[in-house]
Amino acid sequence: MNEYLTLNYKDKTYTLKELIEDNNNFSDSLKFFNDSKRPDIFFVNDVGYCIALEKVEQLYNLIASSRFSLIEAHNKLHKSPVEWKSGYLGQLWLRAQYLKNSIIWYNSCLDYVYQIIWFAFDFFGEIKTKKDYRRELIECNWSKISEILESKSDQNSSILLCQLKQIRKDKNLKKVNLWANSLKHHGNLSFKELRLSDNYLLNFTEDFTNKDMIGDVLDIDETCETVKLAHCKLIEFINFLLDFINFENIFDRTNEGQFIINSKEKLEYKKIIINMN
């Protein structure tokens, strides 16, 4: 029966089975970062590690939300809450909403990456109160992290800085950040599938028309692919970062792999220490 349920979309006909396979393939390409790199342990004697691990958890949840919305944006057929009075237009509108949500959430991911680095490697000052903690969140940004790492002469600082610069230069992440800024500051993104009235031109002056107010007009499917590539690059970097930090190195292990709750000096388990708090 599924073979009789078809969707004609952009010069291609999908059966229901093919639509499901298409969405499953897209979902499978959006990997999470390695779950085993999130150790289920707490570091009572290292407040920076405690905060950094909480930030890893928050980043995981943020990516889960971003990923969910991206999958729904890619999904070409939603059962609800769309009615078919306007044909496929309602489906396109719903997909665009999911896509915009995904872009906004992915745009926030690097902020959490910076916070993980800030607290894991002791960029922060003394924290005794919630106000101190809030102050550190405000202080934490790319400009300060890069400036501090640039001032260090050790190999590990150079490795981390190099990787950070590479992820910031990624063309797909740059596009996502640009689109997120458009959403934040201009209130919307334009998708060509939803623009039904672009067949006219209003000339206000010789150098200013109605088209200048619209900005870039995106294709929903192409934008989904770009955000997918940004996701994959982000996951690749997070896996590197968690390997680089190696939270579990704070403890020794028995031959059976059990943690030994001993007391190591920070210099023994941290690759970078900015402040000896």
Side-chain angles (χ1 to χ4, degrees):
M1 182 176 177
N2 288 347
E3 296 178 0
Y4 297 101
L5 299 173
T6 62
L7 173 68
N8 294 319
Y9 180 78
K10 292 188 176 180
D11 299 324
K12 183 175 180 179
T13 300
Y14 293 87
T15 64
L16 182 58
K17 180 180 179 181
E18 288 171 337
L19 282 171
I20 293 171
E21 289 177 350
D22 175 67
N23 217 47
N24 287 342
N25 290 336
F26 188 84
S27 301
D28 289 343
S29 69
L30 297 171
K31 307 297 184 186
F32 280 107
F33 55 83
N34 192 337
D35 195 61
S36 66
K37 299 176 189 292
R38 294 193 300 155
D40 189 22
I41 50 179
F42 292 93
F43 310 104
V44 178
N45 61 334
D46 192 321
V47 65
Y49 264 20
C50 284
I51 298 172
L53 267 180
E54 177 59 31
K55 294 300 174 183
V56 172
E57 183 69 22
Q58 292 173 6
L59 177 58
Y60 187 90
N61 292 330
L62 178 62
I63 290 176
S65 297
S66 309
R67 179 181 180 273
F68 167 78
S69 286
L70 181 56
I71 290 169
E72 293 303 305
H74 173 81
N75 188 1
K76 298 175 178 63
L77 187 63
H78 292 268
K79 295 180 181 179
S80 62
V82 179
E83 295 183 1
W84 286 89
K85 293 178 181 179
S86 58
Y88 193 69
L89 188 63
Q91 295 280 333
L92 291 169
W93 182 88
L94 184 59
R95 292 177 63 196
Q97 306 319 303
Y98 279 122
L99 184 51
K100 287 186 284 187
N101 285 337
S102 179
I103 287 169
I104 288 292
W105 285 329
Y106 274 118
N107 176 244
S108 300
C109 288
L110 277 182
D111 289 335
Y112 283 85
V113 166
Y114 299 149
Q115 290 172 17
I116 292 167
I117 292 169
W118 188 266
F119 291 107
F121 295 122
D122 297 347
F123 282 73
F124 60 96
E126 190 174 44
I127 298 178
K128 288 188 174 181
T129 66
K130 183 178 180 179
K131 184 178 180 181
D132 293 338
Y133 170 68
R134 295 292 184 187
R135 180 200 66 230
E136 292 299 333
L137 293 180
I138 295 171
E139 290 287 316
C140 173
N141 57 59
W142 162 245
S143 179
K144 290 191 176 180
I145 289 174
S146 60
E147 180 183 355
I148 293 170
L149 290 177
E150 291 277 9
S151 69
K152 305 281 283 183
S153 58
D154 61 288
Q155 183 180 14
N156 285 322
S157 295
S158 298
I159 291 171
L160 180 57
L161 181 61
C162 179
Q163 291 293 324
L164 281 166
K165 286 181 176 179
Q166 286 184 23
I167 190 68
R168 284 178 56 84
K169 289 192 298 184
D170 181 75
K171 63 179 183 179
N172 295 304
L173 276 169
K174 280 186 172 182
K175 288 180 181 178
V176 170
N177 293 339
L178 181 65
W179 296 333
N181 286 333
S182 293
L183 282 167
K184 292 174 183 177
H185 303 299
H186 303 293
N188 202 9
L189 281 178
S190 294
F191 296 102
K192 68 180 186 182
E193 293 92 339
L194 295 173
R195 296 200 64 84
L196 306 178
S197 57
D198 281 350
N199 55 350
Y200 66 90
L201 183 66
L202 295 177
N203 289 291
F204 301 109
T205 68
E206 184 178 346
D207 297 317
F208 182 53
T209 73
N210 62 311
K211 297 293 180 71
D212 297 314
M213 296 183 289
I214 299 169
D216 293 334
V217 179
L218 308 178
D219 178 283
I220 290 177
D221 295 293
E222 291 175 2
T223 306
C224 283
E225 284 298 314
T226 298
V227 180
K228 181 187 81 172
L229 293 173
H231 168 99
C232 294
K233 193 67 179 180
L234 190 62
I235 294 300
E236 178 185 319
F237 176 80
I238 295 170
N239 281 331
F240 153 78
L241 180 61
L242 294 179
D243 275 336
F244 185 80
I245 295 172
N246 189 11
F247 285 108
E248 293 182 353
N249 194 41
I250 191 173
F251 300 127
D252 290 323
R253 286 178 179 266
T254 66
N255 292 333
E256 292 76 29
Q258 299 297 315
F259 288 117
I260 301 174
I261 309 301
N262 51 1
S263 181
K264 284 185 177 181
E265 296 294 328
K266 286 186 178 181
L267 289 172
E268 296 182 73
Y269 62 85
K270 291 198 177 189
K271 291 186 173 73
I272 301 169
I273 304 176
I274 304 302
N275 297 312
M276 291 294 290
N277 296 313

